[in-house]
Amino acid sequence: MARNAVSLCTARIITAAAGALTLPVLYGRLGPRQFGVWAVLSGAMAVLALMDMGLGSSQVREVARAVGGGGHRRARAVLGLGVLWAVGFGAVLAAATVWCWPWLARGFHLGELSGRARDAMLLLQGGLALDNLAIPWQAVLEGHQRYAVVARVNGVSLTCGAGLAVLMVLRGGGLVALGAASVATSAVRGLLLVLAARRCAPWLAPGPRAIRREDLPAVLGYGARVQLSNAAAVINSETDRLVLAGFTTPGTVSGFDLGNRLVNMARLPVEALLTTLFPAAVTTACAASRDRLDRLYLRMTRCLSLYAAAATTALVVSADPLVRLWLGLRVPMAAPTVALLSIGCGVNLPGGAAATVTRSEGRPGRETRYALVAACLNIILTLPLLKLCGPTGVPLSTALAASAATGYFFVHFHRSSGRPMAPLVRIMLPPATAGLFAGTLTWAAAGHLPDGPGRLNAALAVASRSALALAIMTGVLVVLGFFERADWVRLRALASRPPRPHDTDHQLERRNR
């Protein structure tokens, strides 16, 4: 699992770095208005990408069960359902877009960019259809815990796609050229995933003919609850762009999108960790080992709480210079978006451990309640805060909704599963306290730290503020006794002999001896 997490995290960091390096070029070449339209289209595709009836999670779950000795036929049937859904959903989506485009163009104030935006949207939908067709083969690899392979495929294809997008823009291309680059990236990625999955498990291919009537209620019942959670999560994470596009201008959407991307980069290590742990949690849950699953849950929550507090503190205190370092100039809405969304993200990230456990136990309804609470709160708060605070009210409503819903989710998860709350509070309270204390002191001292115009001064500001905040936070955690002796032992071992992603089990065992 450690090798898988390192591989996934490395690939996602490389991909994020490629995006971070290319995005200033795209913003400079396209301009605020055209980049804002591209952000709206990308946000719409992110919403549509989550509309998979929960089959993505169901496929990984069934493959993991098949590897652990479950039924191969049912796994092939679920993979076949994924292929059928990709084809049908893609066709319906393209037809609906063409039919409804005049109303969509007016609603999002596309103006003279309407025709190019429509062509780019159709190309993006083609790329989405290819991505959905590749999901069953990706599930085969993830179910076998071949995350290193998935990481390499994603890293190579998405990095090349970012380079292709920059090349298109530098040659004078616009929205349509970016859409074409997206389709090419999805095609290459899908082909590589199919080849890798066929090599890993040729016997476990999508089999629509293997689908039986009794498979549908169980699979779709589980998937529908996951889909409901995903649909509610969309309201919290992706619809802010669409709301801003409907009530403000594409230029405002540009600033929000840039800030949102910075915050999402902080999620990458957590997503990599939880992705690799999901099959292991399923195996543990199937073995009916409740004590072992609880220990895994508490360890995950402890790690996520520490990381979330550190990342949130660093992002909040360095939001403005971080944007200037990245783009070379101040962009309206970007820094407030970073500060507000990072707080909501910091509260929300530790809940990923509970979500992984509840899915592995086959109880996604618990997570569904959380997602619905967050979505309802976001809907209720968005318009009043938009009117009261202006555009910054949109990320503020998202942060407040995510924080309140995460607290509700923890309470509901522990009560419904019979787990005590006290261990969770003891794990999460010290990092939160240390992060709040460190952030407050660093914010007060920011006027005395290096800063100024230009990227060099912005880099000094980011480095000094982040270093001071993390140093204060570490000191507070040491005083509170958060770190255990085993933590220092692991840290020394990791520093002396860091594991390499390409090491085999035999090599790791020999090195450990």
Side-chain angles (χ1 to χ4, degrees):
M1 286 190 295
R3 294 199 308 275
N4 287 332
V6 169
S7 299
L8 272 179
C9 189
T10 302
R12 292 183 179 184
I13 289 175
I14 292 174
T15 303
L21 293 174
T22 58
L23 196 142
V25 178
L26 299 182
Y27 183 81
R29 289 283 179 166
L30 295 176
R33 177 168 174 75
Q34 196 168 185
F35 183 85
V37 173
W38 177 251
V40 171
L41 297 180
S42 301
M45 296 312 301
V47 171
L48 296 172
L50 292 174
M51 303 301 174
D52 64 347
M53 288 302 296
L55 287 172
S57 180
S58 298
Q59 289 172 84
V60 177
R61 185 169 178 257
E62 293 300 330
V63 171
R65 283 182 169 181
V67 173
H72 293 170
R73 183 212 56 84
R74 179 162 175 174
R76 294 178 63 247
V78 175
L79 296 176
L81 281 173
V83 171
L84 295 178
W85 172 261
V87 174
F89 182 65
V92 171
L93 187 60
T97 299
V98 173
W99 178 265
C100 299
W101 189 255
W103 296 279
L104 294 174
R106 285 196 296 269
F108 292 117
H109 311 104
L110 298 181
E112 74 281 0
L113 297 174
S114 174
R116 282 173 282 175
R118 179 200 58 204
D119 296 340
M121 185 66 168
L122 292 174
L123 286 171
L124 287 174
Q125 290 175 6
L128 176 62
L130 293 175
D131 288 337
N132 287 339
L133 284 172
I135 286 177
W137 283 274
Q138 180 174 334
V140 171
L141 295 171
E142 291 182 355
H144 283 82
Q145 299 196 39
R146 301 294 179 87
Y147 290 99
V149 177
V150 177
R152 286 194 292 269
V153 169
N154 289 337
V156 170
S157 60
L158 295 178
T159 302
C160 293
L164 180 61
V166 169
L167 181 62
M168 291 282 197
V169 171
L170 291 177
R171 292 177 64 87
L175 298 175
V176 177
L178 290 176
S182 177
V183 173
T185 302
S186 298
V188 172
R189 176 179 173 274
L191 178 61
L192 293 176
L193 286 174
V194 170
L195 294 175
R198 295 291 293 172
R199 183 177 180 181
C200 170
W203 49 270
L204 198 57
R209 294 183 179 181
I211 300 174
R212 297 178 183 174
R213 182 174 297 178
E214 59 268 22
D215 295 332
L216 298 178
V219 174
L220 295 182
Y222 173 87
R225 286 172 289 176
V226 175
Q227 175 61 86
L228 187 58
S229 299
N230 291 341
V234 163
I235 297 175
N236 300 313
S237 62
E238 300 296 342
T239 56
D240 287 347
R241 297 186 189 92
L242 306 181
V243 172
L244 287 171
F247 287 91
T248 61
T249 64
T252 303
V253 180
S254 295
F256 170 83
D257 184 70
L258 294 170
N260 186 50
R261 288 174 186 263
L262 280 174
V263 175
N264 284 339
M265 290 181 191
R267 294 181 177 271
L268 295 178
V270 175
E271 292 175 353
L273 176 65
L274 296 180
T275 301
T276 56
L277 287 174
F278 180 62
V282 171
T283 303
T284 304
C286 291
S289 181
R290 173 65 180 267
D291 291 340
R292 183 182 173 188
L293 187 62
D294 287 346
R295 289 195 299 271
L296 177 64
Y297 163 60
L298 292 177
R299 285 198 299 270
M300 284 194 295
T301 304
R302 185 173 184 268
C303 293
L304 294 182
S305 299
L306 179 61
Y307 172 80
T312 300
T313 304
L315 284 172
V316 170
V317 299
S318 60
D320 179 67
L322 188 61
V323 173
R324 289 187 281 118
L325 172 63
W326 188 23
L327 299 173
L329 73 162
R330 278 191 171 92
V331 179
M333 271 291 293
T337 298
V338 172
L340 292 172
L341 290 184
S342 60
I343 294 174
C345 177
V347 177
N348 176 255
L349 281 180
T356 299
V357 171
T358 195
R359 288 192 182 193
S360 68
E361 292 176 331
R363 300 289 301 277
R366 300 169 183 161
E367 187 184 4
T368 301
R369 289 191 178 187
Y370 145 74
L372 289 175
V373 169
C376 292
L377 288 175
N378 204 353
I379 292 172
I380 293 171
L381 294 174
T382 295
L383 291 181
L385 289 177
L386 178 63
K387 184 177 180 180
L388 180 64
C389 306
T392 56
V394 175
L396 176 60
S397 67
T398 299
L400 292 175
S403 302
T406 300
Y408 165 79
F409 175 55
F410 273 123
V411 173
H412 174 64
F413 171 72
H414 279 257
R415 285 182 177 177
S416 62
S417 62
R419 292 178 168 93
M421 285 290 296
L424 179 73
V425 174
R426 287 196 297 268
I427 285 174
M428 295 185 62
L429 188 58
T433 303
L436 179 61
F437 185 74
T440 303
L441 290 184
T442 306
W443 187 270
H448 304 284
L449 298 176
D451 200 354
R455 277 197 165 99
L456 179 59
N457 288 320
L460 291 175
V462 171
S464 60
R465 295 183 188 187
S466 300
L468 178 60
L470 294 179
I472 295 174
M473 180 178 167
T474 303
V476 174
L477 288 174
V478 171
V479 171
L480 294 176
F482 178 79
F483 297 110
E484 302 171 352
R485 183 177 180 182
D487 296 326
W488 302 111
V489 172
R490 292 192 195 99
L491 185 61
R492 285 195 296 268
L494 183 63
S496 60
R497 292 184 301 180
R500 296 187 294 270
H502 59 271
D503 282 343
T504 63
D505 292 336
H506 176 69
Q507 289 171 326
L508 285 173
E509 183 180 355
R510 183 175 59 188
R511 289 173 61 202
N512 288 334
R513 288 201 302 265

